[in-house]
Every structure is written in C-alpha cells, then in structure tokens.
Amino acid sequence: MSRAFVTRLGERHDDDFFEGLDTRVKILTVFVVTTLAIAGPLATQLLLVTFVLALALSAGLWRWAIAAVVFSLLTWMVLVGVATRLQSGGVEDPAGFLVGIMARGNAIFLTAAWLITTTKLYDFGVALESLRVPVAMTLPLTVAVRFIPTLLDEMNGIWDALRVRGLVRSPWDAARHPKRVFDLVLTPAVLRSLRLADELACAAETRGMGGVLRRTPYRPSRMRGKDCVVTAALFGATALCVASAFVVPNDVIAGRINLVVG
Amino acid sequence: MTTANERPQSPQSSSRFTVRELVLIGVLTALSVVLQTVVAVGLHMVPIAAIPGLMHGVMAFVSCLVLYVMARKVPRAGTLTIGLTTYGLAVLILKGSVFHSAGLVLGGVAADVFAHLRGGYQGRWTIIAALVLFRVIATAVAQLDKVVKQMTQVHLVWYFIALAILGAAVGAVLGGVAGRRFMDRMERAGVAA
Amino acid sequence: MLSVENVDFRYAATAGDVLRGVNLRVAPGELVLLTGPSGAGKSTLLDCVNGLGAAAHGGEFRGCIRFGEEGLGRLAPWERSRVVATVRQNPATQFFQLNVGDELAFTLEYRDLSVGQIAERVASTSRAMQIDHLLHRDIFSLSSGERQRVALAAMHATHAPLLLFDEPTANLDAPATDLMLACMARFKRERRAILVVEHRLDAIRSVADRLVVIDGGRVVYDGPLDALDDEAFCSRHCLRHSRARSFIELPPGAHHPDDARRLSARDVRWVSRRKTVLDNAALLIRGGECVGIRGTNGAGKTSMARALCGLEKKARGRIDLDGREFSPAKMLGRVAYVAQQSDRQLFTDSVRRELSGGGATTETVNELLDRFHLTALADRHPQALSGGERQRVAIAAAMASDPEFLILDEPTGGMDGGRFAALVALLRDLTARGVGLLLITHDLELLHAACDRAVEMREGRVVREWERNEFELLDGAENPPAGSAPKGEGDRKAALKTLTAGFVAANPQR
C-alpha cells in the first residue's frame, strides 16, 4: 500500500463512468462475484472470469489483469512442479487446480481491484452508512486510511533520526537486530500516534462532531439511471452464469481442459 | 452569519463511544497497518521469512501489541470489534482481500464476546487471551483465501495452514505480553496515561 | 462580542489553577493578539472558549463565557462549533477527509443542513478562497501553502462569527504567513471576532488591534500593541521581539570561524520524481560558525540539510568535510541533525540512556547532562518532558557523538522569549566550542540573534548570501520576486490580490 494508492482514494475524476457509479452497486457486484466464485460450478466460474476480465479492462485495469493472469499461471506451474517432485502422483487434478487458481482467484481479485480503484474513501463510507452501518464504524475507517500517509511520514522521520544518530546504519541492521530496532521504533511511533490522535480528536470536536454521530452526506449515495442499468446487467450476467452450469456439466469442461493441459 | 436551523445535533446517551475514542481507535488501527507493512517489508529481506508460520507469528506479534494499547486506552466492550472491522475494511480497500477482512471482523467480535464474558478489558491477561482468540480466528479464516485461490490437491498446504495458525497464536501471546510491558512502562513514566 | 468574565480553570491532573480570574473581550471586527510565556495559560484560555478545556482534558471550569447574549460555558465543543471555529498550528492534523471538497463539507455535514445548502456553501467558499482548482485534489498531495489555504477555507465555510487561531504562523514561510495575514484582515472586514495566540509577534502585529498578555494564569496587560516596543516589558513576560530593530544582537566577536575545519557542498543535485529538488546547490560552513538558511517552503532547505548529513542517498555532488571528499550517500553519521519534531527523535526510557545510546562513555554523558542543564532530569522518560526540555535532550543526544557540525531544522517553532533566549545561549555555547552550526529557519529573530551568515535558497539553489553586517537587508528578502515563485504557489502578490477580489465577489453582502 503506497502513498500513491491513498492519493487515488482521495482524488476525484467526475467524468469517470465507474467512479460515478453508486458504491452500493459496486459492493453488490463484489459480493455476487465472490459468492459465485466460491460456490459456483466450473462453467459458472469460467463465464464469471470472462465477465470480470471485461469489467477490469473497461475500467482501464489492463495492467492489473495481465499481472493477475501471469501471476496465477506462474503459481500454478510452480505448485504443480513442486507437487510432482514431492508426491509420486503429482497433483491429482491439474485442470481443476488451474481453473481454481485462474477463475476463482482472479475473479475475486480483479473485482476487488475494480472496487478499490474506482471508489473514493468518502463514497465508501457514505455507502456503508446508507446500508445502516453506524458512523461509529465508518469514522475510524476514514481516520485510519486518512492517517496512513501521516504515519508513513512519521515512520520515515523516526527511521531517519535513528540513522543520523548512528543507532541504525542500514535496513540490514534491522534484519540483524530486529528486537532492538523494533524497541527503538515502537516508543516514538506509539507516542506520536497517541499525540496526533489527540490533536485530531480536538479538531473533530471543535468542528462539530459529537453527540449523535449522524450526518447529511455532501455526496449522498444515489441510484441513478446508470446504476439501475449496471445492476440489471449484473443480475442478467449472474443468471447467465448460473444457467450455464445446467447446460454444460462440470465433467465435460474438466475433460476438455485436461485434454488441453495434459 | 449562521442560519437558525444550523444547529449542531444534540448529544444522545446511546452513543457509547465518544468521538475521541473512535478517533483513537482509527489512529491505532492505522499504526497497526503501517507497522505490519514496515515489518513485513523488512522481514522479506531475510531468508528466515520463508519458515512456515514465522511470518504469521511476527505479524500477530506486531498487531497484538498495538491492539493491546488500544484495549487499554479504550477498555469498552466493542473496542476490538470496531478496531478490527475498521482494519478489515481498510484491508478490503487497500488489498482487496475478502477472507482476510472477514477473518479480522470475526476475530474482533469473538475477542469482544470473550472479554465481555470475562468482565471486560480490565484484566491484563483477559486482554491477552482475547487477542490470542482474535488472531487464531482471523488467521484461520484468512487461510480460506488460499484454499479458494489454489484449490490445490498439494497436501503440504494443510501443514502450512496449521503452522500459520500456530504461529499466529504464539505471536499473539508474545505481542500481548509485549504490549502489556510497553503500556506498564509508559504509564509508570507518566507518558501514556 | 466575546466576553470572558472571571474565568478560572484547573486541569484534573494538576494541583493549581491554570487560569485565575481572566477577563477578556473581543469585539466583532477586532483581532486580539494573546501572548505570554509558555505554560501561562494561553492555549488553555482558547480551549475554554471552544469548549475543549473541560471536555478533552477533564478540567474544572468556573466563570462565564458569552458570545453576544449566548452563554457558551455549559455547551460541549460540538455545540459551540456554529459560533466558534478554531485553526491550530498543523493543518495536517485537522483534516478528516482525503479530498479537498469533502473536507470543506465536513463540518457542514454534521449540522442540520440540506445537501443543496452544503453544496452551495462549498462552492461559495471555494470561490472566495480561490481554491476551485483544488476541489478535486487529494489533500495530502497539496503543498504546505495550499493545505494552509484549505484549512482556512474550511474555517470560512462554517460562517462562524468567532475565530480562534492557535499559533497560526509558527511554521509558516513568508508567503504563507502573508496569505494567513490577508485572510485575517479579510475576516476582520467581515466583522468576525478573532483571537490569536502567538509567540512570533513580528508578522501578526501588522493586523492585530489589541494586545493581551497572560502570565501565571492572569491577564497582566490588555491594551495597545505599543507595549511590545518596551524591552523591559517583553523581558519580564518572556515575550518574543516584534520588530527587527529590537532583535537580540550578536555580541561583537562572539564567533571565531575556524577556516581549517570546513563543511562544504558543491554541485549538489537531487531529482525526485522528475522534480529537481536540489539544482547544483553549494554551501560552506566553517567550524565555530553559525549559518542560517532561509527560503520559502519547497525551496530545498531541508533537502540540502538531509543531503549534508547523508539522508538523501540519491543526491549527487561533492561534499568536503575537513578536506576529505565524500558523496552525499557517504555522509551518514558524520554530521549531526536535529529535526523539527523532537519527540520522534527520542527512543529510550530515560534521558541518560538517550545520551548513551550511541556508545558515549559515562563521563561524556555526565558532561552533556551538565552542559545542557539536564542533570536533574537524567532519570526521567524523555517523552514525559516539556517541549523545550525534549528539544534540549534531542540536541544533547545529537552532540553525544561529538560531531564537528550540527544542523537544526526550525528550532524555534512555538517558543516563547525565555526558551528562545535559552536556545540562543545554547547555540552560542556550541559555536564557542568550535561546532559549526547550520540553522534552517523562517525566524528572522533567530537569524539576527545567532547567525554569522545567512543564505537564501530558491528552487534548489543558494541564490543570495548576507554577511552579518548586511542583516538589516534580510527583512522581506524571503519573498520571491514576481514570476519566480515555485510552480503551484503562484505569485504571492497576485494570489493575494485575486484572493481579496474573490472574497468580495463571493460575499457581496459584506
């Protein structure tokens, strides 16, 4: 998780189609994809990963998609190779394993990537609140993510102070003496965090937070025309994925894949 | 300058957590995320990180140390649920890991229920036991991610999962004890009171 | 009008009253400058007005605080927020959102306003504060000047008639300070009552209407600003100086630069993320000499210091230390460095261990404890000390390895006159012992009081240099000429002009 990633959670682009989509629709999409990926039969999963790849590419996530496919292929090759060496029979069902790692893993990963790259932190909080998640849950989330860049700066400052004082010379020192370095870092890191939390809490109270933690969001969650279209498309795709399992049974797909892989 | 209807909302007793406590939970959650990231990056530089279960143990140590501070600073039923749900949502947003997030939330709820049954977060060993329970559940649920992603018939993976859970439990005990020592030291010095 | 009447305040954790019978009035359109020594009760008084005193710190409040006809004393901080808005020293710890537009709406969302009203308020505020172009940006990618402007805009959006500022200029460079003063002047014209707590008095004096001095929890002066010209008065109440002509002068012959020991940098260049941070910068510091670096934020001051002490591995160039040549990456551990936040430079659980951490002998540690007046604090936890004491420990710890050169980054932020004088005495003692000092500071008084030479950095280069006898030319030199301001900041004067015009356009009723 880099600073650039946190910046992505804050910077807005009003002309982006997926960014303008209601966050609840995106959360629903992740939920549906995860459920189908875990519980669905082979045909469903293959269709599912096709849909998810199309979604990721249309959102401009082609780098994520390529990385995910390459990584899962490499993982499959390495694990099958290791299994063949360790066990006389190797992997019992390499085709099923390939589908599992390619379809299930990538479908879940790419949908989650689509959610996090097209959703602003604020919109995520508002969507959760509109789903009846109390502000008592969303406020710490906002604070936590918003505080990560600040804490990274703090950690850099602490690390620099350790280096310039000669208490740590290089990252290798931390690897050689992890307990000593961790002890040195811990005190200023925790105490700075407590002080900064106090300052932030003071700012919250003087800026009107307190009593009933209820707000009128400046950018409320709203189902607009395009949200309805996307939701309808999602249900359509889900129905298609589920129906495909009745048309093409598992063993037919497994046989075809084993033919190709084998 | 101010319109008549522009009144801040009135306080209500049902809101058990104050803004101050919620902000503190948020900041300590961020600290936990950052410390774990820094330690993980450092640990990956040395080959011992490949020892099964070690990484989970170290991560459990770091997170439980910070969570101990959280439970001592906000000793209310629900603190770990809020903190770990926040953590889970942050993990979901930052890493997109569904099972990791679910494990954190379930672990947090279990820890709070346990602490509630034991009379709250007043006892130091109660906090440590709650942290161990949290970490074991969180690690176990997070392993489902691997099961789903790999769907592998490589039998060795089950040893890895067992070692991960064991490592997490040991790390949680050590982290809780370290957190306890840290807070005692800070309170004696009058720093973190 | 804000009326503070017979206010006493006592913290739960301390024995005595911090405020004793304080009376104060601030009229609409008036800016009252509140100052006094550290620990005198200034920030506590602000916290009593905005409600944090009792709510956050568990204190006991007695007396009466009213704004107009409304009593504030019994209201919680969030209930007072429609009347009182507070801006603290560090804007980064006041932001709750990642996005500028969302941040402007933050306070308004917790009032009973409609979405349309909030959107209208955000739009009018962004026009007034000239931050339309920032509305979609991530807050943490903004420059420090832009962040300050967003913090002021968030304050503006509340439409609160009473504004409190807690050390608003402590860490600001000249353009950001000017922006702050322009906003304060505008808020005054909008008939808002303004109370400013500040130690650095040189800038704020130009917009203040009245001076209130608190010492020992009591108001000891309430009247015109002329009292700041009285040396005896300022010394008595540990006040900083407010005019260049009265700055502490370095005694003639106080420093004896040693030409044999030199730290010099040549052609230091550092490009970070395609941005040139240091552009063939050059600098010389001699043993026993104190050099000050000034310049706007982002001019490369801290980067230069970090390159000199080896913290910027990717910096290129040549650094000579006592005749030996090093690359910046090889300088680590050869030059001591004390950054601005002393509490993140203290790692152990006692002052004595802090000084011995780098391997210093017991004799050296005892000598340092004695020299830095820390003997009585030797067994205390460094993080439990006051801000001034923590800074002394950080400097002493930096000196434990007996370095020939020491760099201090903004050492006077939030200091009162007493602590300032103590720091200057400490710096003079170090130079008298032959240590070469480099001070990064926006504080003109510190340059006058401690430095033999001053240099100015702009856009990664050292562009000007003043010898001690030219220091009267330092006033205003930090302001970049038109057209040369760093990208994103814009020309300061043009920005102020448009800001003023923007206020008028967005607030025609005022």
Side-chain angles (χ1 to χ4, degrees):
Chain A
M1 143 225 28
S2 67
R3 191 182 308 269
F5 202 88
V6 176
T7 296
R8 194 198 284 253
L9 290 171
E11 203 129 303
R12 287 189 181 276
H13 312 87
D14 282 345
D15 51 345
D16 187 294
F17 176 82
F18 289 112
E19 200 177 304
L21 211 56
D22 190 323
T23 308
R24 291 170 299 180
V25 174
K26 293 190 244 182
I27 293 174
L28 179 69
T29 308
V30 172
F31 178 75
V32 169
V33 168
T34 308
T35 309
L36 287 177
I38 294 170
L42 277 176
T44 303
Q45 289 171 7
L46 287 175
L47 260 182
L48 191 68
V49 78
T50 314
F51 282 131
V52 169
L53 273 171
L55 183 69
L57 292 175
S58 58
L61 297 175
W62 56 272
R63 279 188 193 168
W64 292 66
I66 291 171
V69 169
V70 170
F71 180 74
S72 51
L73 262 178
L74 285 175
T75 310
W76 178 78
M77 286 160 67
V78 169
L79 285 180
V80 168
V82 169
T84 312
R85 278 180 169 275
L86 290 180
Q87 297 174 129
S88 56
V91 174
E92 287 170 18
D93 180 11
F97 180 29
L98 179 64
V99 172
I101 202 164
M102 285 288 281
R104 296 174 197 219
N106 284 343
I108 295 174
F109 170 76
L110 284 175
T111 322
W114 169 74
L115 171 72
I116 61 180
T117 52
T118 61
T119 309
K120 303 299 131 187
L121 179 66
Y122 177 92
D123 298 337
F124 198 77
V126 170
L128 291 178
E129 283 164 31
S130 73
L131 295 169
R132 299 285 179 266
V133 174
V135 178
M137 289 283 186
T138 57
L139 174 67
L141 172 69
T142 306
V143 170
V145 178
R146 165 249 176 275
F147 231 81
I148 285 171
T150 308
L151 284 178
L152 286 173
D153 283 344
E154 292 293 326
M155 296 303 285
N156 283 338
I158 291 167
W159 185 249
D160 284 347
L162 282 171
R163 288 171 65 208
V164 86
R165 286 260 305 270
L167 298 173
V168 173
R169 289 283 170 196
S170 71
W172 289 110
D173 277 3
R176 278 200 300 270
H177 311 287
K179 184 182 178 305
R180 188 179 72 88
V181 174
F182 187 75
D183 282 348
L184 288 172
V185 170
L186 189 66
T187 304
V190 174
L191 294 179
R192 283 287 295 178
S193 300
L194 295 179
R195 285 194 182 118
L196 292 172
D198 192 49
E199 281 185 40
L200 199 63
C202 286
E205 290 181 336
T206 55
R207 294 183 65 189
M209 281 192 93
V212 180
L213 290 176
R214 192 184 62 241
R215 62 172 170 168
T216 310
Y218 163 52
R219 299 172 194 270
S221 281
R222 274 200 197 117
M223 286 292 280
R224 281 157 291 196
K226 65 177 180 181
D227 298 306
C228 296
V229 170
V230 171
T231 309
L234 181 67
F235 279 112
T238 306
L240 192 63
C241 286
V242 173
S244 64
F246 294 102
V247 179
V248 191
N250 271 7
D251 48 352
V252 174
I253 299 175
R256 292 280 168 85
I257 295 171
N258 272 331
L259 208 63
V260 176
V261 175
Chain B
M1 290 199 174
T2 311
T3 53
N5 68 343
E6 206 173 306
R7 297 203 160 267
Q9 293 144 1
S10 57
Q12 196 180 56
S13 58
S14 64
S15 178
R16 293 179 59 212
F17 283 87
T18 63
V19 169
R20 192 159 285 275
E21 289 167 337
L22 293 172
V23 168
L24 185 59
I25 290 172
V27 170
L28 288 176
T29 301
L31 179 67
S32 182
V33 172
V34 169
L35 274 180
Q36 286 189 75
T37 307
V38 170
V39 170
V41 169
L43 209 59
H44 274 120
M45 292 167 55
V46 287
I48 57 164
I51 297 172
L54 182 80
M55 200 66 170
H56 290 91
V58 174
M59 290 302 113
F61 173 83
V62 175
S63 67
C64 289
L65 198 160
V66 178
L67 290 172
Y68 185 94
V69 176
M70 189 189 286
R72 282 291 291 276
K73 297 290 288 181
V74 189
R76 285 175 182 271
T79 293
L80 288 190
T81 300
I82 293 179
L84 291 165
T85 303
T86 304
Y87 193 167
L89 289 170
V91 165
L92 188 67
I93 293 173
L94 298 170
K95 285 171 67 181
S97 176
V98 176
F99 290 104
H100 192 175
S101 306
L104 290 165
V105 176
L106 290 175
V109 172
D112 267 341
V113 170
F114 172 80
H116 181 68
L117 294 175
R118 297 271 302 165
Y121 286 112
Q122 306 306 326
R124 292 168 185 184
W125 284 106
T126 302
I127 301 177
I128 293 173
L131 292 177
V132 173
L133 183 63
F134 142 67
R135 199 67 211 194
V136 166
I137 291 174
T139 309
V141 176
Q143 298 309 305
L144 285 176
D145 198 27
K146 282 188 184 143
V147 177
V148 171
K149 276 186 182 166
Q150 300 176 358
M151 295 303 272
T152 175
Q153 286 75 37
V154 183
H155 298 299
L156 262 180
V157 79
W158 297 107
Y159 300 131
F160 288 142
I161 290 173
L163 284 171
I165 293 171
L166 185 66
V170 173
V173 173
L174 297 177
V177 171
R180 178 188 159 175
R181 283 188 185 165
F182 177 80
M183 281 303 283
D184 288 352
R185 216 168 57 223
M186 292 299 118
E187 282 168 2
R188 269 201 305 276
V191 179
Chain C
M1 174 181 291
L2 170 71
S3 305
V4 177
E5 293 162 16
N6 296 317
V7 164
D8 297 330
F9 188 83
R10 172 190 299 226
Y11 286 111
T14 54
D17 284 353
V18 181
L19 296 177
R20 284 178 271 179
V22 170
N23 289 289
L24 178 70
R25 279 167 187 270
V26 187
E30 185 182 32
L31 191 153
V32 172
L33 169 59
L34 180 63
T35 190
S38 294
K42 305 180 297 301
S43 294
T44 304
L45 180 56
L46 283 197
D47 285 348
C48 285
V49 176
N50 63 26
L52 282 176
H57 310 299
E60 184 190 337
F61 170 85
R62 290 188 302 278
C64 178
I65 296 180
R66 285 183 294 119
F67 188 79
E69 296 303 313
E70 185 172 2
L72 300 178
R74 296 192 181 281
L75 299 180
W78 59 87
E79 294 171 295
R80 302 184 197 199
S81 65
R82 73 192 157 83
V83 176
V84 189
T86 310
V87 163
R88 290 171 177 272
Q89 198 182 102
N90 184 3
T93 55
Q94 295 171 63
F95 296 141
F96 270 81
Q97 304 292 353
L98 294 177
N99 175 272
V100 172
D102 300 344
E103 182 63 29
L104 294 189
F106 177 81
T107 303
L108 308 174
E109 288 181 330
Y110 287 91
R111 297 181 177 180
D112 288 334
L113 294 173
S114 69
V115 176
Q117 284 172 309
I118 296 173
E120 196 281 321
R121 190 81 71 88
V122 170
S124 66
T125 298
S126 62
R127 279 197 303 275
M129 298 297 290
Q130 297 283 300
I131 56 168
D132 295 284
H133 61 295
L134 302 178
L135 273 185
H136 291 83
R137 295 270 305 275
D138 161 52
I139 285 184
F140 294 94
S141 64
L142 302 181
S143 71
S144 56
E146 287 168 335
R147 280 188 208 181
Q148 191 70 39
R149 197 182 289 189
V150 172
L152 288 168
M155 178 185 239
H156 182 270
T158 63
H159 287 193
L162 172 60
L163 308 179
L164 308 180
F165 292 84
D166 195 357
E167 301 200 40
T169 67
N171 298 316
L172 298 186
D173 60 3
T177 303
D178 284 354
L179 175 72
M180 176 69 78
L181 299 182
C183 287
M184 285 178 177
R186 180 55 55 183
F187 291 148
K188 276 172 64 177
R189 283 204 286 282
E190 291 174 2
R191 305 287 298 158
R192 304 193 197 206
I194 306 172
L195 184 57
V196 181
V197 165
E198 189 57 280
H199 283 300
R200 271 181 68 186
L201 308 175
D202 48 339
I204 204 82
R205 182 176 179 152
S206 63
V207 289
D209 299 301
R210 195 152 53 85
L211 173 72
V212 173
V213 179
I214 291 194
D215 199 346
R218 295 180 189 280
V219 172
V220 294
Y221 179 84
D222 186 343
L225 291 150
D226 301 344
L228 292 174
D229 296 328
D230 181 348
E231 284 283 345
F233 177 82
C234 290
S235 300
R236 193 162 60 246
H237 299 297
C238 295
L239 305 187
R240 299 284 303 273
H241 293 86
S242 62
R243 292 201 194 281
R245 60 181 163 76
S246 61
F247 284 155
I248 304 166
E249 288 298 331
L250 199 65
H255 294 167
H256 303 282
D258 179 357
D259 267 321
R261 291 184 300 111
R262 299 159 71 95
L263 172 64
S264 71
R266 272 178 293 161
D267 304 328
V268 178
R269 187 171 168 76
W270 180 39
V271 180
S272 172
R273 292 176 191 165
R274 297 180 188 172
K275 183 174 181 272
T276 303
V277 182
L278 292 174
D279 186 7
N280 296 323
L283 189 67
L284 167 70
I285 313 156
R286 290 167 293 187
E289 179 187 42
C290 182
V291 178
I293 304 189
R294 61 194 315 234
T296 54
N297 289 338
K301 307 183 300 293
T302 299
S303 301
M304 185 70 186
R306 290 171 58 81
L308 284 174
C309 53
L311 288 173
E312 295 299 354
K313 279 184 180 172
K314 291 180 182 170
R316 298 284 172 267
R318 293 163 61 188
I319 297 175
D320 290 339
L321 179 63
D322 296 343
R324 293 173 63 196
E325 191 175 303
F326 300 94
S327 68
K330 299 285 180 192
M331 286 297 292
L332 197 62
R334 297 177 197 280
V335 174
Y337 177 57
V338 176
Q340 200 173 350
Q341 295 85 358
S342 54
D343 50 353
R344 66 185 189 196
Q345 301 164 72
L346 303 171
F347 307 101
T348 61
D349 56 6
S350 80
V351 172
R352 188 181 293 280
R353 284 202 194 95
E354 199 65 46
L355 303 193
S356 62
T361 62
T362 310
E363 290 75 33
T364 308
V365 170
N366 287 338
E367 195 259 325
L368 283 169
L369 287 171
D370 186 43
R371 181 144 58 97
F372 287 82
H373 309 294
L374 293 168
T375 308
L377 307 173
D379 296 319
R380 294 271 305 276
H381 197 294
Q383 299 279 6
L385 304 177
S386 70
E389 290 165 343
R390 281 204 300 265
Q391 188 190 49
R392 276 213 314 274
V393 176
I395 297 175
M399 295 306 298
S401 58
D402 197 21
E404 291 182 355
F405 294 92
L406 170 66
I407 302 173
L408 294 142
D409 196 347
E410 293 292 353
T412 58
M415 272 192 178
D416 68 4
R419 274 178 56 197
F420 178 88
L423 175 74
V424 169
L426 182 71
L427 299 180
R428 286 180 183 172
D429 178 61
L430 288 173
T431 47
R433 290 166 186 269
V435 178
L437 294 178
L438 180 64
L439 308 182
I440 300 167
T441 185
H442 299 303
D443 192 335
L444 207 53
E445 189 180 2
L446 181 65
L447 290 174
H448 279 269
C451 295
D452 302 286
R453 269 189 308 125
V455 298
E456 184 187 347
M457 288 195 71
R458 193 181 299 161
E459 294 174 358
R461 285 169 166 269
V462 173
V463 291
R464 290 176 76 175
E465 184 168 340
W466 296 267
E467 290 297 331
R468 172 110 209 135
N469 56 11
E470 301 167 320
F471 271 17
E472 68 271 17
L473 302 173
L474 280 170
D475 288 341
E478 191 175 293
N479 296 333
S484 67
K487 194 180 173 187
E489 289 288 328
D491 173 50
R492 181 182 58 89
K493 286 182 180 168
L496 291 180
K497 198 173 168 185
T498 48
L499 181 67
T500 306
F503 263 114
V504 175
N507 301 280
Q509 77 279 17
R510 299 192 193 291

